[in-house]
Amino acid sequence: MKLTKVFAAAAAFVIGSSAFAIDGTEVMQKAFDRTKPDYTKAAVQVILAKNGKIEETRNVGEYGRCKNNLSDVVMMFLSPASVKGTNFLQKENDGKDDDKWIYLPSLGGDARRVSSSEGSKSFVGTDFTYDDMSTREVSDDTHELLKESEDKGNFKNLYVVKSTPKDPKSSQYSYRISWITKDHFIPTYIEMYDKKGKLVKVNEIKSIKQFPGTAGRVYNVPMENVMSNVQTGHSTTMRMVNLQVDVPVDERTFTANFLKTGRL
């Protein structure tokens, strides 16, 4: 039996419009909303390299807290001497830019607030910028689902989403393309394109590990994160070498006052 032209056109529209069971905004919102530990304590290695050759390895103590789905993090640089005593605090806000403070022992005084105008600057000499360390609001971008299933890096069967800032001035990148796991909605590979539309950086998660938490919860935590600048050949690896979840951290840790002394 032949379909009438009207029915055939309607069928084609339905098939075309339902090609993806989920859209790009939904994928990114699920990634934003995924369950995180109430608290984390970690020892982190930060490895700086140029064209694959290690230049410096830093040891960092990290404390995290998630409250009302808003995350705070403190990073304390322990070695080598060139960065020892440098401490950083970031507090996520709902609907506005994150608050950030940094304490630099060479300058003395109190911790300094990092202004939003410094977002594109390097974070303590790494390939991450201050904005790279932040959580960008889903509503700040438009999100297009490019593919529903693609393999990338160490992970398979991923969503691929292109995110473009609604306000070009709000981001140092013209757009980002993210590969996101379907099971736990973790972005495992992100390409970042500069204002000329050229690929500038790649942020890749190398491994994810499950940790049991309180109340029967299970967390899927990225254990190794590599930011590579493809234009300079430089890279920064952040590798968890020890991690505890849901072990309470004193609330006073997440204050600018704590950064100066590292003591409560």
Side-chain angles (χ1 to χ4, degrees), residues 3-231:
L3 297 174
T4 65
K5 289 184 179 180
V6 172
F7 184 81
F13 174 79
V14 171
I15 292 171
S17 63
S18 61
F20 296 132
I22 190 171
D23 65 28
T25 299
E26 289 178 281
V27 172
M28 299 308 289
Q29 191 65 54
K30 286 179 178 294
F32 185 87
D33 291 337
R34 72 181 186 273
T35 302
K36 306 174 185 70
D38 292 336
Y39 297 98
T40 58
K41 295 180 180 180
V44 182
Q45 281 187 340
V46 179
I47 303 167
L48 308 181
K50 176 74 171 182
N51 296 324
K53 183 178 180 181
I54 295 177
E55 295 179 329
E56 183 176 88
T57 298
R58 300 172 174 179
N59 293 300
V60 177
E62 183 178 291
Y63 301 96
R65 174 183 65 179
C66 185
K67 192 173 182 179
N68 299 322
N69 206 36
L70 297 174
S71 298
D72 301 334
V73 63
V74 169
M75 299 181 70
M76 306 180 69
F77 289 77
L78 307 175
S79 68
S82 59
V83 292
K84 183 177 181 179
T86 298
N87 297 325
F88 173 72
L89 166 65
Q90 177 171 287
K91 298 177 72 68
E92 183 181 356
N93 293 311
D94 187 11
K96 63 179 182 177
D97 291 342
D98 296 347
D99 291 322
K100 305 180 187 72
W101 292 265
I102 191 163
Y103 176 75
L104 299 169
S106 61
L107 298 181
D110 297 325
R112 179 180 68 83
R113 182 183 284 271
V114 180
S115 70
S116 57
S117 63
E118 298 177 88
S120 61
K121 291 184 177 180
S122 169
F123 170 66
V124 197
T126 70
D127 293 280
F128 292 85
T129 64
Y130 284 105
D131 279 352
D132 291 333
M133 304 293 291
S134 297
T135 303
R136 189 168 172 86
E137 298 287 336
V138 176
S139 59
D140 287 342
D141 305 315
T142 59
H143 306 282
E144 178 187 358
L145 182 60
L146 301 180
K147 295 181 181 179
E148 195 171 16
S149 179
E150 184 170 277
D151 301 344
K152 195 73 169 177
N154 294 336
F155 301 91
K156 299 182 180 298
N157 194 24
L158 309 168
Y159 292 117
V160 185
V161 178
K162 179 179 179 180
S163 301
T164 305
K166 294 178 180 178
D167 177 5
K169 295 180 180 179
S170 70
S171 174
Q172 61 191 288
Y173 307 115
S174 58
Y175 63 91
R176 307 181 317 278
I177 298 179
S178 304
W179 283 256
I180 300 168
T181 61
K182 287 186 173 182
D183 49 1
H184 304 300
F185 291 92
I186 297 175
T188 58
Y189 196 97
I190 306 172
E191 293 181 343
M192 288 155 275
Y193 291 79
D194 64 20
K195 292 297 187 179
K196 295 181 179 180
K198 294 183 178 180
L199 179 64
V200 57
K201 290 196 290 190
V202 171
N203 190 10
E204 182 176 6
I205 301 298
K206 295 289 189 177
S207 64
I208 296 172
K209 185 176 179 180
Q210 285 191 339
F211 289 84
T214 57
R217 292 178 293 182
V218 176
Y219 307 113
N220 294 276
V221 182
M223 298 299 289
E224 184 171 345
N225 183 5
V226 182
M227 180 71 84
S228 302
N229 189 316
V230 301
Q231 296 182 3

Side-chain angles (χ1 to χ4, degrees), residues 247-258:
V247 177
V249 177
D250 193 298
E251 300 295 302
R252 292 173 294 173
T253 303
F254 305 98
T255 63
N257 289 335
F258 177 73

